[in-house]
Amino acid sequence: MAPVGTTLIQCCDCPPEAEKPLPMATTTSAPGQEWEFPWREIPWQPIVTSLSIIVSTTVTLIIVCYNHRQNKKISALRNNLSFVNDQLAKLYGPLYGNRLASHKIFEEAVGELVDRETEGLVDYLIKARWIWEKNTTEGQRLLNRWRTFLYYVIHPLDLKAEEIIRDNAHLYEDGCPDVFRDFIVHVNHQKFVVARWKKSERGEKLDMDVEFSENDFSRDNNAGSSTYRLFWTLEEHVTESYEKLVKRKRRLMRLIKESTGNGGGKLEK
Ligand SMILES: *[C@@H]1O[C@H](CO)[C@@H](O)[C@H](O)[C@H]1NC(C)=O
Ligand SMILES: *[C@@H]1O[C@H](CO)[C@@H](O)[C@H](O)[C@H]1NC(C)=O
């Protein structure tokens, strides 16, 4: 009973209870003012400053990292381009021109006697010997004709090609191609063959007055160690590599242009 009584007493003579609606009334009378206060008191200026520092630092870092990666990429591309340029300028470019010239001259050399497309030096020599057996003067002329081409034009071109191949091993595509090795063996054999044709030990001229014998018409006495098939293989390898490198060079130049001069590139267009 006592607790109920006390609660009642509390309830009844509790003047503050009556005042309760008063504060409520004051809050409803000015709600806006009370809610706006905390916002106004937040120190916006320092927060904004800190935020802009964080944002600008992040942006700067992103830009720095992006530029670093971009620069690494560009310098890798530039390195590749300079290697390809070297390959073209020192090895495959000169070799390509050299082999084209050699091909043309070979065709011209054997063209008088054989079908240039299907036959080669061996057929030329067989025919020359057959003619020589019937007409010594004509046979001599045909063999001297071949030897003149080889001695004065084809052999010097082969020597030049050998030098290009020998001096630029660091620029080969895919290791040392077998065809380069075969060619070097061939050219060195050829040096011994043509050395025997000199007019004198010291001189550089071809001796045109030799009385030929049957043996002089053999293939071994008129060329290097390889058959003309080697030349087609070499020419094919050089042409393919050359064309591949030209394409690679164009691609690298395009990539570098895209990575560096984006704006400039667009402006140009
Ligand atoms: C550059 O060359 C290297 C080595 O040859 C190669 O691994 C890399 O992929 C090349 N990079 C480009 C972009 O061509
Ligand atoms: C042999 O060939 C030469 C040309 O090289 C010619 O002038 C000569 O008449 C030919 N001799 C014979 C017997 O056919």
Side-chain angles (χ1 to χ4, degrees):
M1 287 300 229
V4 179
T6 36
T7 356
L8 276 169
I9 289 158
Q10 279 186 343
C11 258
C12 289
D13 51 27
C14 203
E17 292 258 330
E19 285 172 355
K20 259 186 186 170
L22 271 173
M24 279 172 80
T26 40
T27 32
T28 38
S29 67
Q33 278 190 353
E34 277 226 359
W35 283 107
E36 274 178 36
F37 254 113
W39 288 103
R40 284 206 187 135
E41 289 191 354
I42 290 174
W44 284 116
Q45 201 50 48
I47 289 178
V48 167
T49 312
S50 318
L51 273 177
S52 26
I53 289 172
I54 290 169
V55 168
S56 72
T57 309
T58 311
V59 167
T60 312
L61 279 176
I62 289 171
I63 291 173
V64 165
C65 292
Y66 175 79
N67 281 347
H68 177 69
R69 280 180 58 182
Q70 199 65 5
N71 286 344
K72 259 174 83 173
K73 198 179 126 197
I74 293 169
S75 76
L77 288 172
R78 288 220 167 101
N79 281 343
N80 286 15
L81 178 62
S82 98
F83 186 71
V84 170
N85 276 339
D86 266 4
Q87 284 184 300
L88 280 172
K90 293 178 186 161
L91 180 62
Y92 288 99
L95 215 46
Y96 180 71
N98 178 291
R99 289 299 91 190
L100 276 186
S102 168
H103 188 148
K104 286 259 170 289
I105 286 150
F106 179 81
E107 285 195 334
E108 197 186 328
V110 300
E112 190 176 328
L113 279 187
V114 305
D115 178 349
R116 302 167 198 199
E117 290 305 314
T118 56
E119 296 170 298
L121 176 63
V122 174
D123 297 284
Y124 180 95
L125 293 171
I126 289 170
K127 285 186 184 174
R129 192 185 133 189
W130 184 78
I131 291 165
W132 171 76
E133 281 165 359
K134 311 220 154 11
N135 184 335
T136 316
T137 323
E138 181 64 2
Q140 287 270 139
R141 186 188 73 79
L142 286 169
L143 190 55
N144 271 328
R145 184 173 184 277
W146 163 252
R147 290 191 172 190
T148 304
F149 270 109
L150 184 70
Y151 190 86
Y152 288 113
V153 194
I154 297 173
H155 185 59
L157 276 172
D158 286 351
L159 285 178
K160 186 67 200 165
E162 187 219 14
E163 187 190 316
I164 294 168
I165 289 171
R166 198 172 4 95
D167 291 350
N168 293 291
H170 59 295
L171 298 174
Y172 294 168
E173 274 286 285
D174 319 317
C176 181
D178 286 343
V179 72
F180 281 176
R181 250 179 258 150
D182 294 347
F183 181 72
I184 287 172
V185 172
H186 166 85
V187 175
N188 282 286
H189 184 103
Q190 192 170 273
K191 284 179 197 166
F192 286 100
V193 172
V194 300
R196 294 200 293 263
W197 302 348
K198 283 182 185 172
K199 207 172 176 84
S200 64
E201 273 303 305
R202 288 253 201 89
E204 287 303 320
K205 279 201 171 150
L206 175 67
D207 189 355
M208 301 283 280
D209 305 320
V210 187
E211 289 273 313
F212 291 133
S213 69
E214 219 170 277
N215 205 30
D216 287 318
F217 288 87
S218 76
R219 196 203 157 278
D220 284 350
N221 286 322
N222 286 291
S225 61
S226 291
T227 63
Y228 71 108
R229 217 171 293 278
L230 168 80
F231 291 92
W232 300 164
T233 314
L234 179 62
E235 202 180 301
E236 205 175 74
H237 168 77
V238 169
T239 307
E240 273 173 13
S241 306
Y242 178 79
E243 285 167 358
K244 197 167 86 181
L245 289 169
V246 167
K247 272 191 201 141
R248 191 181 299 164
K249 176 178 169 157
R250 277 203 210 111
R251 203 189 101 245
L252 286 166
M253 285 172 72
R254 204 190 62 232
L255 285 174
I256 290 173
K257 200 178 163 194
E258 279 169 9
S259 319
T260 54
N262 233 344
K266 271 174 192 165
L267 279 175
E268 277 170 37
K269 282 169 204 165

